[in-house]
Structures are given as C-alpha cells and as structure tokens.
Amino acid sequence: LGFELIAEFESAPTLGTWQLSDQAAEEPFTVYDHPKVLIFRKTSKFSTERARDILWSVDLSNVIRMNPKQATVAPTGLMLTVERAAEQRAGGTWSAMFDSNSVLNRIEWLGAAAWWVGLLLLGWLLFPLVFLSLGGLPDRGYAVSKIAALLLIGWLAWIFSSMRLLPFTRGTIALAAAGLTAVSCAFAVHRGRDLWRWITTHRRYILGAELVWLVLFLFGLFIRWQNPDLWHPSYGGEKPMDFSYFNAVLRSTSFPPFDPWLSGGYINYYYFGYVIAAIPTKLLGIVPAVAYNLLVPMLFAMTGTGAFCVVYNLTYPTNGGSSSRKGLHTLPLLGGITAAALMVLLGNLGQPDTLAKGFKKLASSTEEHILPGMG
C-alpha cells in the first residue's frame, strides 16, 4: 500500500542474559501482556487509487447491510433455532444432573480425592494408546497421559453432541471413555509384553511423575481452599464470565452451547476447554461450584507436568549416560522438575511485587482495609 516500517518495539522474556522471542505464541499471552508495537510511515509510493483498487477488489456481494434495529430482530443473529432452543431446554434440570446430597458433594475432601483417583484411572486406562502414539519418547508420554485422556474423551463426546448423534450427558461421556478404553485394552493385549516390560523397568519414573502431578495439584488446591470464591474481591476479574460459560457447556445437550448472557442465543466463542473441564465434572457428578475449584488445580498440575514431560524427554540421555536406577534418570528428572517449577511457580514474578507493595501500605497506614495487607 506504500508504507514502510520505521520502528519496532518488542519486550521479550529474559532470564539473565538469555532472551527468547515469544511472538509466535498464542495471542492472549503476547498481545495482552507485552504486545509488539510496529510504527509505519507513509511513503511517496502511496496511492489512494491503488489502495482503493486493492480494498474494493474484495467481493462484498454477500455482506448483509442492516441498521441496529434490523440486526436486533434478525432471526439468525447468533440465535438458536426454535428446534435447537427447545432441545437445550429439554436437557434436564440441575438437580437431575447433580445430586448436591451425594457423598462426593457433602464431603469435599472426598470429592477432591475422587477427582484425583478418577483422573489417575483415566490416564492409566488410556496409557496404552499414548504408549503407541508417543513410542519414540523415552517416557512414552506417560506424564501427559491424563491430558491425552481428557482430550480424547472430550473430543469424542463433543463430536457426538455437535453432530447431534448423542446428547452431551454423563452416559455419552462414559460411552466415549469405554470405547477408547476398549481400543486401548486391545492394543495392550497385542503389545502387552513390551508395555509390561516398560512399566516394570520404569516404575520409579512412573511414581516420580505421579508425585510431581500430585504435589502440584495439592498446592493449587491449597490456594483455592484458602480463597475459594469465584469473584476477585479487589479487582473484579473474569471468574463470573468463566463460571457462566462453564455452566452453559455443562447444561447444553448439543453444541454450540447456549449463551448464558443472551437468552435464546448460542456461544460464538472458543469453548472446547470448557468441554474438557466438563468431562470429570459430569462423570463424578460434582456440583459446578466445587468442581471449578478442583479444575483450576487440575489445569495447574497438568501444565506443570506437561513442562516436566517435555524437558525430561529432551534431556534424557541417548548414549547411556547419566546416573540411572531402574529407569529413573536423575538429571532428566531434575530438569523436568525445574521446568515444571519455572512454568507454573516462577513464571509470574509480579506477585512478589504485589505482596511487597501491600505489606508496605499496611506498615505505613493505620486505615482499615477490606483485604488484610492490601490497600
């Protein structure tokens, strides 16, 4: 169009003298946190006629022109059809979906334990599939088997419900899990000797990977236990929106899910993460308000173990080096634990600064604050 780039400003993450450009990362990570700034200058090559020719070469014949009033009454403006709306309403009540008097909902620590055990079992049941898919990795992808299980089960349940073959219910999720487990078991029978040999050889690594996941989960759970509210009391935040979308996906019988903010509408937004979150929630029948505070630690632990898995496999010796005892290599294990800590514990150093400022205000002021330590 006749512009030239004259300045570029980028703030890349640094660790000491090491700098890594993350501009290829997902947009929310860069644009929201440290966006790149590009400044262009118009040159003598700019031509209004050429710009007009380029812009008007786009086919606008399918554009629907309407004023705000026309858009408001448009029958297809992100609104469910009459049939789909009735289908969503007929999906069942909350009391039918979740029994608030069940033992997992009445005894919250038992619900948390069931959540951990359920994910552990799903990871074990589908590990043969992960073993087959990631057979080239030293750890055969064991550390991410829980992630793979939720992704596969969630995708199958989602595709069934999106095509309206089956409703998005506990039964459909259980059917998807059972089908994948059958395939996984068939592979385990076919390659049982190799699978069992790897498990027995690497049982210490399996225990170590599970311990990393559990420690991260318990740490995240402790934080939510200390502050279980779903609304940031000082700054507001997106938890109410997050919780509403989560509930909408849980309540929907087909996809796309209904819009919790617009009666009769559907969500025109990426929502598959909520589908994944709905898998253990619906299978265990834990009420959403409690499940939310289990999901956050779960995602925290999965992010950490994902980093652990990547670095462990990258640093695993291929020439027989590094100390090893029954499949447990020390240096890759330490590297994996360090990666997990850097990813989920040390990645945001803004919190120490926030705490320091809060304590400073508390020490220099006699005013009564709503939040202890925060001005």
Side-chain angles (χ1 to χ4, degrees):
L1 289 176
F3 292 85
E4 64 177 359
L5 181 65
I6 62 171
E8 182 176 338
F9 302 92
E10 175 185 343
S11 177
T14 59
L15 182 62
T17 59
W18 181 61
Q19 187 178 70
L20 173 67
S21 176
D22 59 349
Q23 290 301 315
E26 186 181 359
E27 183 179 273
F29 184 72
T30 56
V31 175
Y32 296 170
D33 186 68
H34 48 280
K36 177 191 288 188
V37 177
L38 304 175
I39 299 179
F40 293 87
R41 177 174 57 193
K42 186 188 295 185
T43 68
S44 58
K45 295 181 181 180
F46 176 80
S47 168
T48 302
E49 291 74 18
R50 183 168 178 269
R52 184 183 295 113
D53 291 340
I54 292 175
L55 294 175
W56 283 105
S57 64
V58 178
D59 182 14
L60 301 178
S61 60
N62 292 322
V63 173
I64 299 176
R65 294 178 173 84
M66 58 178 66
N67 57 42
K69 182 177 180 180
Q70 292 171 325
T72 301
V73 299
T76 59
L78 299 180
M79 301 297 289
L80 294 166
T81 63
V82 175
E83 179 187 4
R84 294 295 293 273
E87 181 182 274
Q88 297 286 28
R89 295 189 188 99
T93 62
W94 283 111
S95 59
M97 294 173 60
F98 299 100
D99 181 8
S100 59
N101 292 318
S102 70
V103 63
L104 297 184
N105 287 316
R106 284 188 293 104
I107 308 176
E108 293 182 353
W109 69 264
L110 191 59
W115 191 279
W116 168 61
V117 172
L119 291 172
L120 184 68
L121 291 177
L122 287 178
W124 283 352
L125 289 173
L126 298 191
F127 175 61
L129 287 180
V130 179
F131 186 89
L132 171 65
S133 303
L134 303 178
L137 297 179
D139 83 330
R140 303 302 193 271
Y142 178 83
V144 294
S145 57
K146 296 182 185 67
I147 301 175
L150 289 184
L151 282 173
L152 291 172
I153 296 171
W155 184 84
L156 270 183
W158 172 80
I159 199 67
F160 286 151
S161 302
S162 296
M163 298 178 68
R164 301 172 71 187
L165 299 175
L166 292 171
F168 187 58
T169 61
R170 180 186 298 177
T172 298
I173 296 172
L175 180 63
L180 287 169
T181 299
V183 175
S184 184
C185 289
F187 171 73
V189 171
H190 179 66
R191 295 285 299 276
R193 184 174 299 178
D194 294 338
L195 181 63
W196 183 250
R197 184 186 302 117
W198 185 89
I199 291 174
T200 55
T201 304
H202 295 81
R203 59 182 179 271
R204 288 179 179 270
Y205 168 77
I206 292 173
L207 180 61
E210 292 296 346
L211 188 60
V212 169
W213 196 96
L214 182 58
V215 168
L216 291 175
F217 179 72
L218 290 176
F219 179 74
L221 194 62
F222 174 77
I223 294 175
R224 295 306 302 158
W225 179 39
Q226 295 299 309
N227 183 29
D229 68 275
L230 299 182
W231 177 261
H232 196 300
S234 181
Y235 300 111
E238 293 191 355
K239 285 180 185 176
M241 182 279 293
D242 202 30
F243 192 52
S244 69
Y245 273 32
F246 175 49
N247 278 277
V249 170
L250 285 171
R251 179 62 178 76
S252 293
T253 56
S254 62
F255 297 118
F258 67 84
D259 191 337
W261 300 105
L262 178 62
S263 178
Y266 62 86
I267 294 179
N268 181 33
Y269 198 67
Y270 41 85
Y271 61 87
F272 186 68
Y274 298 106
V275 176
I276 296 174
I279 300 306
T281 305
K282 283 202 166 191
L283 282 177
L284 295 173
I286 294 180
V287 293
V290 176
Y292 189 97
N293 285 324
L294 296 174
L295 285 165
V296 174
M298 180 193 78
L299 296 174
F300 179 81
M302 286 183 171
T303 303
T305 51
F308 170 86
C309 180
V310 170
V311 174
Y312 180 89
N313 286 291
L314 286 175
T315 57
Y316 191 89
T318 58
N319 57 0
S322 179
S323 60
S324 173
R325 183 182 180 185
K326 294 186 181 302
L328 185 66
H329 289 259
T330 305
L331 291 181
L333 185 65
L334 291 176
I337 293 174
T338 302
L342 288 172
M343 176 65 74
V344 298
L345 297 176
L346 304 176
N348 185 359
L349 298 180
Q351 292 303 315
D353 181 62
T354 300
L355 291 173
K357 290 179 180 177
F359 286 125
K360 183 178 179 181
K361 287 183 178 180
L362 180 66
S364 61
S365 175
T366 58
E367 296 180 6
E368 183 179 352
H369 300 299
I370 297 175
L371 290 178
M374 299 297 292

